[in-house]
Amino acid sequence: MEERAKEIAKKLLKCKKVHIVSHIDADGITSASIAYRALKRAGKEVSYQFIKQLEGDEIERFREENHEMIWFTDLGSGQLDSLTGIDCVITDHHEPRGNAGIPSGMHRGNILSYCNNTILELNPHRYGLDGSTELSGAGATYLVARELGDNKDLSKLAIIGAVGDLQASREGRLVGKNREILAEATDSGYIDARKDASFYGLESRPLQKLLQYASDPPLPGLSGDGTACMDFLTELNIPLKENDRWRMWYQLSKEEKRNILSAVGKRMLRYGYPPSYVESLVGEVYTFPDEEWGGMVHEAKEFSTLLNSCGRYRKGDIGLEICLGDRDEYYKKAMNLLRGHRQVLVDCMKVVKDTGIEKMENLQYFHGEDRIPDTVIGTVVGMMLGSGEVDNSLPMLGFVESVEKEGLKVSSRGTKEMIDKGLDLSVVMSECSKKLGGEGGGHNIAAGAFIPEGSEDEFLALADKMIKRQFG
Ligand code: C5P
Ligand code: C5P
Ligand code: ZN
């Protein structure tokens, strides 16, 4: 991978101007920011744009625009064949589709550059790594940035990208190549890694909300019930406020934290949860010493949520400014978007609860019609599957009407246990959509597709059959 990163850096350094094209989520925004800063430092002219998905029309537009060089980050590998002939480099972690004409068995490392010297791709899948856990788009981009100059500080963004793509959530800590980048970042003092509660919102949510909204794993008798959470904390003698302000997890003493975690753990066991769920209450937490405690940019999960709140509403540029260091004008704008994003998610979860979940033999799904934005459907599907209120042995799919063009957006999410049993949603989304004239891809554990309007029943039948085969 390092060889390939060097080749890509060499190619970029030869250019005068580079156009960055990236995905609009947290991993995509951090990827673009890493590429942007590294290229600027190397004295290049840089432009950038964020897109939801790299699709046929979009690719043709890039071909016509005739850029000197395009750097695709956090996307591109799923569309390799269609990119042939465009001068570009790719740093991505999605499952590659297409080999630019090269037989798939042969496809490793250098072969691509050998056969098709206009495209250089760096993707962990080509090196036997799992792109959904071991390296993110931002991580792959960082490997190239490291070869472009002294850019070690950008390791911080690489970690935010990985965390934003939930790459640490399976094991409770970063693994694989991500872990190497993390070690580099902690050694240089850009990141602190500590063991702490795995809840979301350690620095941004009042205690009772932290428990109330906990979903992965859900806390029996607490998740979803604000009053129960308040009572629970009061019984443990944990003051909810200090100087009239709601207390947050990071402000608790070690002893208070221990008391809460042990009481939650005992409660889970009493409700018959497996010990592994209790263990997952604790995980690695990544924070940034150059930021202040509290708020949305000190801890990696919260930072990535802030970026998602920008990207999902087409304001990737605001997220990019925050990655580049703005804590003033753009930060304020992002905080406003975050408030909106939270409300959207609450509303969408209500929509799903109203519509209900349909079950098939090998999958479950809901249809959001036009009531869920196509940019957050993936998040909502993931939240539903983690909510503890649905069957967690079957993958979850969600359909919504696409906003920009006629058709349906499908999102799908699985769990680690399902992957271990053979599930690969990337294949399901890509193959089943292709049969209906659509397109799709992603990762084994999380993937999406675009399909023609009215084809959801056919799609479901195909997906159900294919998942059955995968589960064997
Ligand atoms: O396009 P991209 O690779 O950035 O998106 C990855 C998606 O996969 C994210 O939406 C992330 O939430 C999801 N994911 C997941 N569970 C994992 C790993 C990734 O839901 N264990
Ligand atoms: O949109 P959603 O969050 O469900 O996407 C999950 C994963 O599938 C992401 O990594 C996304 O980039 C990928 N995807 C894709 N092609 C699509 C839709 C989603 O590769 N048409
Ligand atoms: Zn990504």
Side-chain angles (χ1 to χ4, degrees), residues 50-61:
F50 292 102
I51 58 177
K52 272 202 290 195
Q53 221 65 63
L54 189 56
E55 286 159 350
D57 308 353
E58 210 84 54
I59 295 174
E60 286 325 301
R61 192 151 353 115

Side-chain angles (χ1 to χ4, degrees), residues 23 25 27 74 93-94 132 164-167 169-170 312 413 443 445-446:
H23 196 208
D25 68 356
D27 189 32
D74 194 32
H93 68 131
H94 291 92
S132 70
D165 262 7
L166 303 186
Q167 301 212 325
S169 70
R170 244 200 248 177
R312 308 272 182 208
R413 295 290 185 271
H443 311 282
I445 200 161

Side-chain angles (χ1 to χ4, degrees), residues 20-24 28-29 32 48-52 316-317 320:
I20 300 165
V21 177
S22 195
H23 196 208
I24 54 157
I29 295 173
Y48 68 87
Q49 86 184 81
F50 292 102
I51 58 177
K52 272 202 290 195
D317 56 319
L320 183 125

Side-chain angles (χ1 to χ4, degrees), residues 224-402:
D225 188 341
T227 320
C229 293
M230 292 238 220
D231 294 346
F232 173 77
L233 291 164
T234 311
E235 263 169 51
L236 291 173
N237 282 321
I238 311 275
L240 295 177
K241 282 190 170 183
E242 191 174 305
N243 299 331
D244 248 10
R245 302 186 76 140
W246 295 111
R247 295 175 79 208
M248 317 246 176
W249 183 267
Y250 79 100
Q251 296 164 320
L252 300 184
S253 70
K254 265 198 177 138
E255 202 191 345
E256 286 177 312
K257 288 183 183 180
R258 202 164 32 221
N259 285 345
I260 297 178
L261 287 173
S262 106
V264 171
K266 275 185 199 141
R267 185 184 267 255
M268 288 169 99
L269 292 175
R270 209 162 57 232
Y271 276 77
Y273 281 48
S276 64
Y277 275 52
V278 179
E279 279 159 30
S280 73
L281 287 172
V282 173
E284 232 167 32
V285 175
Y286 308 114
T287 55
F288 313 117
D290 62 335
E291 309 282 357
E292 283 177 29
W293 285 86
M296 292 300 291
V297 288
H298 184 255
E299 186 269 327
K301 282 190 219 167
E302 287 161 331
F303 200 129
S304 73
T305 300
L306 189 63
L307 297 180
N308 272 323
S309 311
C310 301
R312 308 272 182 208
Y313 307 93
R314 289 163 232 278
K315 303 281 187 216
D317 56 319
I318 296 181
L320 183 125
E321 293 294 342
I322 290 169
C323 288
L324 298 182
D326 180 281
R327 296 293 175 267
D328 192 22
E329 181 194 346
Y330 289 99
Y331 181 75
K332 274 185 212 135
K333 284 186 187 168
M335 289 302 281
N336 277 330
L337 289 168
L338 173 69
R339 267 183 283 278
H341 182 49
R342 283 187 177 142
Q343 192 54 50
V344 167
L345 290 181
V346 170
D347 294 347
C348 289
M349 290 300 277
K350 269 198 206 112
V351 168
V352 181
K353 276 173 194 160
D354 286 352
T355 3
I357 305 282
E358 302 286 334
K359 252 171 124 168
M360 295 178 66
E361 197 186 332
N362 301 288
L363 60 80
Q364 49 190 333
Y365 71 95
F366 60 87
H367 205 312
E369 314 282 345
D370 60 352
R371 299 166 68 202
I372 295 177
D374 63 357
T375 47
V376 300
I377 179 69
T379 310
V380 175
V381 172
M383 284 168 73
M384 267 326 287
L385 189 58
S387 70
E389 293 162 23
V390 301
D391 184 341
N392 63 4
S393 70
L394 295 179
M396 177 74 72
L397 273 62
F399 295 87
V400 283
E401 284 167 23
S402 168

Side-chain angles (χ1 to χ4, degrees), residues 20-125:
I20 300 165
V21 177
S22 195
H23 196 208
I24 54 157
D25 68 356
D27 189 32
I29 295 173
T30 46
S31 300
S33 306
I34 292 169
Y36 184 91
R37 173 115 310 151
L39 287 169
K40 281 280 186 188
R41 282 176 180 165
K44 303 296 165 193
E45 273 179 60
V46 194
S47 53
Y48 68 87
Q49 86 184 81
F50 292 102
I51 58 177
K52 272 202 290 195
Q53 221 65 63
L54 189 56
E55 286 159 350
D57 308 353
E58 210 84 54
I59 295 174
E60 286 325 301
R61 192 151 353 115
F62 289 132
R63 204 183 295 284
E64 280 158 26
E65 283 170 359
N66 227 339
H67 295 274
E68 181 189 349
M69 174 63 58
I70 300 184
W71 186 352
F72 291 106
T73 62
D74 194 32
L75 41 77
S77 291
Q79 295 77 21
L80 256 187
D81 278 338
S82 333
L83 293 173
T84 322
I86 298 181
D87 266 315
C88 64
V89 297
I90 299 171
T91 47
D92 190 12
H93 68 131
H94 291 92
E95 276 183 26
R97 304 237 167 270
N99 286 325
I102 302 156
S104 58
M106 269 174 66
H107 205 97
R108 277 274 173 273
N110 284 323
I111 292 174
L112 190 64
S113 69
Y114 169 75
C115 294
N116 173 19
N117 60 18
T118 62
I119 299 180
L120 283 176
E121 178 206 35
L122 174 61
N123 186 317
H125 288 281

Side-chain angles (χ1 to χ4, degrees), residues 200 205-214 226 229 233:
Y200 173 81
R205 277 185 176 162
L207 273 188
Q208 71 275 19
K209 301 236 156 157
L210 189 79
L211 300 181
Q212 183 183 343
Y213 294 128
C229 293
L233 291 164

